[in-house]
Amino acid sequence: MTEKPSALRTAVWERTRKGESVSDIARALGTDERIVTLIANTFERLESKRRSGERPLPDMRDALNAVRGEKDPKLFRSEKLRLFRSYLLALLGTKRGLVRILNGVTDSQARSACLAAERSGVRRGETLPDDVYRAMLESAFAAFYLRIAGDEVFDEANVPHVLEAWGKTVEAFSGNAFSAFHPHLDDASLFFETALRIREGVKRYRRCPFCKTVHLIDAEEKADDARFSNCPFCQFRYLSENAFRPK
């Protein structure tokens, strides 16, 4: 993709308003026609909402800035989201008491999050951290997306549901502890393409036998054996434990 996501969205919308076709826009901007279609449909819905007086969905960059500042108390109202953030912090090696305080969960919920993190499987092979970050974001988005849209995720890429799941992913990975993930959070292609790959069957859901976390895998990928897991959450745990180990 030749333009930054925010610039791409603006460019697609401007060209759509001028009556240009999807194929012409994709060719001019050097991007995939499916992404152009999804973005164009999104802005059509937002424009319709504006005309009817409804409040449009927020821009993802604004949402990311909001959760980084942690100024909106409503962002953490979701019980599922708090539990997931507790698990993410536990993967970083955060102690149970701090997990409880930071996420407003009970002591038993914090204990469960830490136990799940401790069950992470042994890591196999060498994977670049950036690949692990993207895989974790894809899997987190996919979990939110399935919870929001249900089995519809296998039939169509519903743009409002994609945007809602995208926003939940932004909330989950907010804060300085997850700063390494932030450059990927405003990447429209990462989340829209993940939704398309789920619909097309290129990606499928799997529950990790070690940490019990649902994550995405390639459709042709073989099952993990009894000792190893390719789960991105297990791999992230390994990276976190070894990030500051003396060489």
Side-chain angles (χ1 to χ4, degrees):
M1 193 173 294
T2 57
E3 301 185 53
K4 292 182 178 180
S6 57
L8 176 63
R9 291 194 292 269
T10 301
V12 169
W13 180 231
E14 290 298 328
R15 289 175 179 269
T16 300
R17 293 183 66 180
K18 293 177 182 178
E20 295 185 29
S21 67
V22 169
S23 58
D24 288 340
I25 295 173
R27 186 165 49 255
L29 300 179
T31 191
D32 192 289
E33 289 187 12
R34 295 173 298 177
I35 299 300
V36 172
T37 300
L38 288 171
I39 293 175
N41 289 343
T42 300
F43 278 100
E44 288 288 356
R45 288 183 173 88
L46 293 179
E47 186 68 9
S48 175
K49 287 184 178 182
R50 291 188 185 97
R51 287 194 297 267
S52 65
E54 296 179 23
R55 183 180 177 184
L57 291 167
D59 180 83
M60 284 298 108
R61 188 179 298 277
D62 293 338
L64 179 57
N65 290 335
V67 296
R68 280 177 176 171
E70 300 182 353
K71 297 176 181 177
D72 187 354
K74 295 181 180 179
L75 291 174
F76 300 97
R77 67 185 180 277
S78 167
E79 180 73 8
K80 292 289 186 180
L81 186 59
R82 287 200 300 272
L83 294 176
F84 181 60
R85 279 183 56 83
S86 297
Y87 173 60
L88 291 177
L89 287 173
L91 287 173
L92 287 169
T94 307
K95 298 298 183 182
R96 187 177 76 193
L98 193 54
V99 169
R100 177 178 59 80
I101 293 171
L102 290 175
N103 291 288
V105 296
T106 66
D107 189 62
S108 62
Q109 289 171 330
R111 184 187 302 111
S112 296
C114 292
L115 288 175
E118 291 173 3
R119 287 196 300 264
S120 297
V122 178
R123 185 169 174 268
R124 174 175 54 191
E126 292 297 327
T127 305
L128 294 176
D130 206 51
D131 293 336
V132 175
Y133 301 153
R134 289 178 66 87
M136 283 182 67
L137 289 176
E138 285 181 343
S139 294
F141 163 80
F144 288 125
Y145 187 39
L146 183 61
R147 186 175 298 132
I148 292 166
D151 289 342
E152 290 182 14
V153 302
F154 304 111
D155 300 321
E156 62 175 336
N158 184 296
V159 174
H161 291 160
V162 171
L163 288 175
E164 185 177 352
W166 184 3
K168 288 292 184 183
T169 308
V170 170
E171 293 178 42
F173 288 87
S174 64
N176 293 333
F178 303 103
S179 59
F181 294 86
H182 294 170
H184 301 295
L185 284 173
D186 198 41
D187 182 358
S189 63
L190 175 64
F191 300 98
F192 281 112
E193 288 177 5
T194 297
L196 290 171
R197 287 167 181 158
I198 292 171
R199 185 198 68 183
E200 294 166 1
V202 177
K203 293 280 188 178
R204 62 186 178 90
Y205 292 85
R206 174 187 289 168
R207 187 179 182 87
C208 176
F210 296 94
C211 70
K212 311 303 180 185
T213 304
V214 173
H215 61 283
L216 282 185
I217 63 169
D218 294 332
E220 67 276 8
E221 186 175 327
K222 296 181 180 179
D224 297 315
D225 62 31
R227 297 169 299 162
F228 303 109
S229 173
N230 287 327
C231 165
F233 298 95
C234 289
Q235 294 187 10
F236 180 70
R237 172 72 172 182
Y238 175 90
L239 292 174
S240 299
E241 289 176 342
N242 292 275
F244 303 105
R245 178 176 293 177
K247 297 183 178 180

